[in-house]
Amino acid sequence: MNSTSWTVLSILNNVEDLNLSHNLIVNIFDHFKKFMRNLTSLDLSHNLITHVSNIDFPFLSTNIEKVNLESNKITHPSFIFIDSRNSTITDNKKIFPREILLANNTLTCDCTSYSLVTHFRTHLNAPIKGFQCAQPPALFGLQLQDLHPEDLLCEIDVTFDFCPIECKCYKRAVDQSTIVNCTAANLTRVPVIKSPSIINCTFIELHLEQNMLQDLSNAGDGWNTVRRLNIANNSFTTLSGDSLPEQLEVLDVSGNQLTEVDAALLLKLNHTALRNISLSANPWDCHCENPLLAFAVDNAARITDFSTLQCSDGQPINSATLNELCAWTTTLSFYISSAVSLLLIVCLLAIWLYMKYSLEIKVWLFKYNLLQWLVTEEQIDMDKQYDAFISYSHKDEAFVTDHLLPRLESEELNFKICWHVRDFMPGEMIASQITKAVEDSRRTIIILSLNYLESVWGQMEFNTAYLQSLEDKRNRVIPIIYQDIGDIDQLDPELQAYLKTNTYVRWDDPWFWDKLHYAMPRKRHPKHEQPTCNISMSSLNKKN
């Protein structure tokens, strides 16, 4: 039809039924919005119209009942209906005819049909009639009422530089997601997955089934936006929890060569948003130590193929199999629990006995040289009369009387010192008194000087104290280097060995008193207790 034809038709204001079928019309003319105010039926079937949308309506006639667009070349009808939640249902009636017939068109059901499908699912009296999919093949023959919004996909144009070359990519309008389909592409590695934001989508559904993949290494910045991952029928023997996308919700690993799952993977599966997992057709090793069994039984509702899940030997993976395989573990746990309980009772009894008879036990242990670490020095030395015995040459007595003795017996330190001038009994053998003084003292302080090294009594006192230390297995000798004693390697072998293996104190050390105090026994006498003498002696010199 041309402009002359429309000039003729424009004067037909009273026409109600207009048949323009079997022509070569390629679009719905705009003239219907200007003329024929009484038109009720328009037949445009068997023409070459390729597109119909909202812009073709409304007609001038408010009484239009039917527009027949059957047997045209329409592929993508594009209708946007007003949502009745935001306006009255009569608004759509004012725009569209009561019926728009679309039968026998090569309709493509893709994401551009989303508005039409969602409207029809909530308004069964929608004006579109005879809608039937011709493309894609998966939806061929489906009518409008049979379509689901999630089935409506649009292939992504290669100009967006998003889709891996080995795959096909689609956009799904219902959830603004991207489907990357790499099924049966002979892949040995996961292709680089780019961010879906490139095409204004929020997440990815990735299909990698029927390839030859063995791991999920991927460097793409869109990997962690993958929420649905299908890696069924590949060559996976292990699956690392760290390799899974962070936002994963659906995972299919069926048909691989998985035998066990490690604890890290189970932790990932338990602490992510995963709601659907497929695990069947893997040669799972079924033994009590394999955590898969307990995981599968505890998460049966999340495992979509739980009813077909089997061990490599054909046993079904369920609670009965788990109980059968782990029966011995239950028995072992009972015996272990019983043994632990018995051991606990024995330990509590031993603690009670020790608390009640601790002194008797420690005395017995010390007597037989057993568990010496249980016996404190204070307990061993509780019967000793002195805190320390001072061994020195009489030539160094001024140091003892002017410095050492006054400080040790001061009110601040309050140590009880055995000083031979004061505390040795008159008339007894000096050698026996030296031995008794060492035995009755918790420490023996040696004033090392050249004078001491030349003293026979000094050597005897050191040897006595040294042997007492060996017998008690306690460090009882406190050497004070009062003067330079020369090369230690030239000393008496026992004194040389002791100085090399034990700490000594130097008189010229700024920390002398602190170190000496630290080396003294911890037990102190009450401050009101003063040192006592057996018999006060005015003089008792050990010559040499």
Side-chain angles (χ1 to χ4, degrees):
M1 294 187 66
N2 52 36
S3 59
T4 302
S5 303
W6 277 111
T7 301
V8 174
L9 293 175
S10 65
I11 62 176
L12 303 176
N13 289 324
N14 296 321
V15 171
E16 295 182 2
D17 189 345
L18 179 61
N19 188 337
L20 297 176
S21 64
H22 294 89
N23 283 287
L24 300 176
I25 300 173
V26 296
N27 61 284
I28 300 176
F29 299 110
D30 194 49
H31 297 77
F32 291 115
K33 297 181 180 180
K34 303 175 182 177
F35 309 112
M36 303 181 190
R37 66 176 60 254
N38 294 318
L39 188 66
T40 59
S41 175
L42 174 64
D43 189 348
L44 291 171
S45 63
H46 298 278
N47 278 282
L48 301 177
I49 298 173
T50 59
H51 187 75
V52 59
S53 68
N54 288 54
I55 63 174
D56 297 314
F57 304 96
F59 289 175
L60 178 62
S61 172
T62 57
N63 300 317
I64 187 74
E65 292 288 330
K66 179 174 67 175
V67 174
N68 189 344
L69 296 172
E70 294 176 344
S71 300
N72 275 275
K73 304 296 182 183
I74 299 172
T75 58
H76 291 84
S78 179
F79 295 108
I80 299 176
F81 292 93
I82 298 174
D83 191 340
S84 61
R85 292 172 296 180
N86 300 322
S87 63
T88 64
I89 192 68
T90 57
D91 289 333
N92 287 318
K93 293 181 179 180
K94 292 178 181 179
I95 298 173
F96 299 105
R98 181 169 300 196
E99 291 184 343
I100 300 175
L101 307 183
L102 292 174
N104 299 318
N105 280 279
T106 55
L107 299 175
T108 298
C109 298
D110 59 14
C111 62
T112 61
S113 309
Y114 174 69
S115 175
L116 179 59
V117 171
T118 53
H119 179 79
F120 189 84
R121 291 173 70 86
T122 56
H123 303 89
L124 296 179
N125 61 346
I128 307 301
K129 309 294 181 182
F131 187 104
Q132 190 175 48
C133 299
Q135 293 290 337
L139 302 179
F140 178 80
L142 293 182
Q143 297 181 357
L144 197 59
Q145 62 268 25
D146 300 324
L147 292 172
H148 298 281
E150 55 268 22
D151 296 330
L152 304 175
L153 310 175
C154 286
E155 189 165 358
I156 297 172
D157 195 291
V158 295
T159 57
F160 284 103
D161 191 28
F162 169 81
C163 194
I165 192 171
E166 309 94 332
C167 313
K168 290 186 177 181
C169 299
Y170 305 88
K171 185 174 182 179
R172 183 167 54 207
V174 66
D175 54 8
Q176 288 298 298
S177 65
T178 303
I179 298 174
V180 180
N181 191 347
C182 308
T183 302
N186 293 320
L187 298 177
T188 57
R189 60 172 180 79
V190 178
V192 174
I193 306 299
K194 297 182 179 180
S195 173
S197 61
I198 296 174
I199 52 174
N200 297 320
C201 288
T202 55
F203 69 91
I204 293 174
E205 179 179 314
L206 179 58
H207 291 265
L208 295 170
E209 58 266 36
Q210 300 178 35
N211 285 288
M212 296 175 285
L213 302 175
Q214 295 182 346
D215 62 74
L216 286 178
S217 58
N218 188 282
D221 55 4
W223 178 250
N224 283 323
T225 66
V226 175
R227 294 186 188 176
R228 300 172 185 176
L229 176 62
N230 190 329
I231 54 173
N233 300 309
N234 276 278
S235 302
F236 289 92
T237 56
T238 60
L239 189 61
S240 170
D242 295 334
S243 66
L244 294 177
E246 294 178 356
Q247 300 181 25
L248 198 60
E249 296 178 356
V250 178
L251 174 64
D252 187 347
V253 296
S254 59
N256 281 278
Q257 298 300 313
L258 299 172
T259 57
E260 295 190 1
V261 292
D262 58 24
L265 177 58
L266 286 186
L267 187 64
K268 182 87 171 186
L269 297 180
N270 279 318
H271 291 82
T272 59
L274 265 174
R275 61 177 187 270
N276 290 322
I277 310 169
S278 299
L279 300 169
S280 63
N282 282 285
W284 297 111
D285 285 342
C286 289
H287 51 82
C288 195
E289 290 76 17
N290 188 348
L292 169 72
L293 276 71
F295 173 80
V297 171
D298 294 340
N299 294 271
R302 298 169 59 200
I303 300 175
T304 56
D305 52 0
F306 180 77
S307 60
T308 61
L309 201 56
Q310 293 183 340
C311 306
S312 58
D313 60 4
Q315 291 187 87
I317 296 180
N318 52 34
S319 57
T321 302
L322 178 63
N323 292 334
E324 180 182 347
L325 292 173
C326 298
W328 66 271
T329 306
T330 304
T331 304
L332 181 61
S333 299
F334 171 75
Y335 285 119
I336 291 176
S337 300
S338 300
V340 170
S341 299
L342 181 61
L343 182 61
L344 181 61
I345 292 173
V346 171
C347 290
L348 291 174
L349 180 60
I351 292 172
W352 179 80
L353 290 173
Y354 180 78
M355 296 294 290
K356 186 174 181 63
Y357 303 103
S358 60
L359 182 59
E360 291 82 352
I361 292 173
K362 289 178 179 180
V363 170
W364 184 86
L365 290 173
F366 183 73
K367 177 180 179 181
Y368 292 99
N369 199 27
L370 299 173
L371 300 178
Q372 292 285 305
W373 54 271
L374 278 177
V375 185
T376 63
E377 183 178 80
E378 183 176 343
Q379 292 170 324
I380 295 173
D381 296 343
M382 61 188 304
D383 294 325
K384 292 186 181 296
Q385 184 177 356
Y386 301 101
D387 289 316
F389 164 62
I390 301 179
S391 173
Y392 62 95
S393 167
H394 73 281
K395 296 180 180 180
D396 300 322
E397 188 165 299
F399 167 71
V400 174
T401 57
D402 295 342
H403 299 285
L404 194 61
L405 198 58
R407 181 64 182 273
L408 291 176
E409 291 185 340
S410 66
E411 185 177 2
E412 177 188 356
L413 300 183
N414 198 36
F415 288 114
K416 187 173 183 180
I417 305 300
C418 179
W419 179 34
H420 74 274
V421 174
R422 178 182 62 200
D423 300 316
F424 275 18
M425 295 291 292
E428 291 186 10
M429 296 291 294
I430 294 179
S432 63
Q433 293 208 67
I434 290 174
T435 301
K436 188 175 186 305
V438 170
E439 290 176 351
D440 285 349
S441 301
R442 297 177 180 86
R443 297 286 187 273
T444 297
I445 299 175
I446 305 294
I447 310 301
L448 280 177
S449 64
L450 293 176
N451 297 325
Y452 186 89
L453 296 177
E454 295 172 357
S455 170
V456 175
W457 293 113
Q459 294 179 11
M460 178 182 176
E461 289 169 354
F462 171 79
N463 289 336
T464 302
Y466 179 70
L467 292 175
Q468 186 67 37
S469 292
L470 294 178
E471 181 179 344
D472 292 345
K473 296 181 174 59
R474 294 287 189 278
N475 188 5
R476 297 195 178 281
V477 180
I478 305 175
I480 295 177
I481 297 181
Y482 174 57
Q483 296 175 344
D484 184 12
I485 57 174
D487 187 0
I488 294 178
D489 292 334
Q490 303 301 318
L491 301 178
D492 176 82
E494 290 182 345
L495 180 58
Q496 177 189 141
Y498 192 89
L499 291 177
K500 287 183 176 181
T501 57
N502 293 274
T503 303
Y504 52 86
V505 185
R506 289 185 175 274
W507 169 240
D508 57 357
D509 188 342
W511 293 76
F512 171 80
W513 290 111
D514 291 325
K515 291 182 178 180
L516 178 59
H517 188 189
Y518 180 80
M520 291 293 284
R522 296 295 181 270
K523 181 183 177 182
R524 297 187 184 182
H525 301 285
K527 290 187 176 182
H528 63 271
E529 181 180 339
Q530 298 298 325
T532 58
C533 304
N534 291 323
I535 294 180
S536 179
M537 300 181 64
S538 58
S539 65
L540 177 59
N541 291 328
K542 298 175 291 179
K543 304 299 181 182
N544 273 339

